Amino acid sequence: VTTLTKAPESAAGRATPARRRRRLDHVPYLLLLPCALVIGVLLLWPLGQVVVMSLYDLDSVRQVRGEREWPWAGLGNYAEILGDPFFRTVLRNTVLFAAANVVLTMILGTLVGLLLNRLGRRMATFVGSCVMLAWATPALTGAIVWKWIFDDTSGLVTWFFNALPDGLSEALFGRANWTGYGWFNDPLLFFAILTLVVVWHSFPFIAVSVLAGLKSVPSELHEAARVDGAGPWKVFWSITFPLLRPVFGILVVLSTIWDFKVFTQQYALAGGTQDRSTYMLSIYSYATAFSPPPKYGLGSAVAVILTLILLVVTGFYIRALLKQEEL
């Protein structure tokens, strides 16, 4: 009798771990819930509000506050934006600027990451700390510093060109006195300076990420390649790059998103939204929404278009990554 009565309890005891595992299956979702709520409140809710505002004709703060009626515009704001020739100019500026910055940031960041991987421990720590200062500097602070460097009267660049011999400066650049020269007035020169500022601020993240990836590559592979007579360039393209392809893919997507959304540096260097020839999508959305007369609906439509472009870029990367995993 004792054996018969204890048998079911023993069976139940053997099933307890499985039931416990089933009860713990929902724990990861509960742990992710606070983060999901924060993302929903801080990101998804404002994004939903922008999408809703893009469907209405809003031209006053009182409408945004809900004190006046919202006239329905439907897709009219999108039709007006997409039909505007200036929007195509802004889109071209954004795409070209983002492409140039992504390429330059990836090249410089990769080279610095490779350099840090080759240096000794102390020197790598020193160089890495110096590099990270650029990334740790707030975007607005860095833009103000670079704007002072290119100041037309007391800037470092102006001083350097004035220090050149007059004959050499005249032969190379067609002028000897650089005081008062507007470095930010020419659109091409402005984009060149803006590219310099953005790359300077962005490449440390790429360098540190590449360095972290290089630490995971077995050193035996590099040593075997060198024994076979492969040079640094061959080692990188045959061993390092294929192994770090997922890392480079993520970095390219992140850089594309960041460079498409550049706003702070451009606003600080341009001193506002007066120069329409240097507009990109982020500042175009801001200027459309807040410059008098305000057009919050149109500005929201530009912001939604920018978000859709970034989602398409991210979608292409995820699709390529899934195909690579299947292969």
Side-chain angles (χ1 to χ4, degrees):
V1 174
T2 303
T3 303
L4 293 175
T5 55
K6 288 185 176 181
E9 294 179 0
S10 178
R14 289 195 298 270
T16 299
R19 287 202 297 269
R20 288 179 179 176
R21 285 194 295 269
R22 286 195 296 269
R23 286 198 298 268
L24 293 176
D25 287 343
H26 63 279
V27 172
Y29 300 99
L30 293 177
L31 296 176
L32 291 174
L33 183 60
C35 182
L37 291 176
V38 172
I39 293 176
V41 173
L42 298 181
L43 182 62
L44 297 181
W45 173 253
L47 179 60
Q49 290 292 97
V50 170
V51 173
V52 173
M53 291 175 62
S54 68
L55 301 176
Y56 290 87
D57 186 13
L58 306 176
D59 57 5
S60 69
V61 178
R62 295 182 61 185
Q63 286 179 315
V64 177
R65 293 176 178 174
E67 300 175 1
R68 289 175 53 188
E69 182 182 357
W70 288 23
W72 173 258
L75 299 179
N77 290 329
Y78 294 95
E80 181 176 349
I81 291 295
L82 296 176
D84 186 3
F86 183 66
F87 171 77
R88 292 190 286 271
T89 301
V90 174
L91 182 60
R92 182 199 61 196
N93 292 343
T94 306
V95 172
L96 294 178
F97 175 81
N101 277 264
V102 169
V103 172
L104 294 176
T105 303
M106 292 299 301
I107 292 176
L108 181 59
T110 302
L111 292 176
V112 173
L114 293 172
L115 174 63
L116 293 174
N117 191 50
R118 297 289 298 273
L119 294 176
R121 183 175 180 180
R122 292 184 179 180
M123 184 58 67
T125 302
F126 172 74
V127 175
S129 301
C130 295
V131 167
M132 291 304 294
L133 288 176
W135 190 49
T137 303
L140 180 59
T141 304
I144 292 174
V145 171
W146 281 101
K147 189 171 184 178
W148 172 81
I149 291 176
F150 284 92
D151 185 75
D152 59 356
T153 56
S154 59
L156 183 62
V157 175
T158 302
W159 170 86
F160 172 79
F161 279 96
N162 281 331
L164 294 175
D166 292 345
L168 179 62
S169 183
E170 283 279 0
L172 294 178
F173 308 106
R175 61 182 302 154
N177 184 15
W178 293 87
T179 302
Y181 182 76
W183 297 98
F184 302 103
N185 294 337
D186 182 72
L188 292 178
L189 189 56
F190 175 83
F191 277 118
I193 298 173
L194 181 60
T195 299
L196 175 63
V197 176
V198 173
V199 171
W200 169 82
H201 189 263
S202 304
F203 87 89
F205 176 78
I206 306 297
V208 173
S209 300
V210 171
L211 177 62
L214 291 172
K215 295 300 183 182
S216 65
V217 177
S219 59
E220 295 82 2
L221 297 178
H222 289 166
E223 293 175 359
R226 295 190 187 98
V227 170
D228 292 339
W233 184 256
K234 185 67 174 180
V235 170
F236 176 79
W237 281 111
S238 300
I239 298 177
T240 306
F241 183 77
L243 292 177
L244 298 184
R245 190 186 301 272
V247 176
F248 284 114
I250 294 175
L251 293 177
V252 167
V253 172
L254 291 177
S255 298
T256 302
I257 293 174
W258 293 337
D259 293 336
F260 259 88
K261 298 192 305 178
V262 167
F263 174 83
T264 304
Q265 295 93 328
Q266 181 177 11
Y267 188 89
L269 293 178
T273 59
Q274 295 82 8
D275 190 2
R276 288 172 58 88
S277 62
T278 60
Y279 270 17
M280 292 189 292
L281 285 176
S282 293
I283 202 165
Y284 178 48
S285 175
Y286 173 85
T288 303
F290 297 104
S291 296
K295 299 178 182 179
Y296 302 113
L298 286 176
S300 300
V302 177
V304 172
I305 293 173
L306 174 59
T307 303
L308 292 177
I309 293 175
L310 296 179
L311 287 176
V312 170
V313 173
T314 307
F316 275 116
Y317 165 72
I318 294 176
R319 181 181 179 184
L321 184 62
L322 293 177
K323 286 185 176 181
Q324 182 179 352
E325 291 181 353
E326 290 177 358
L327 295 177

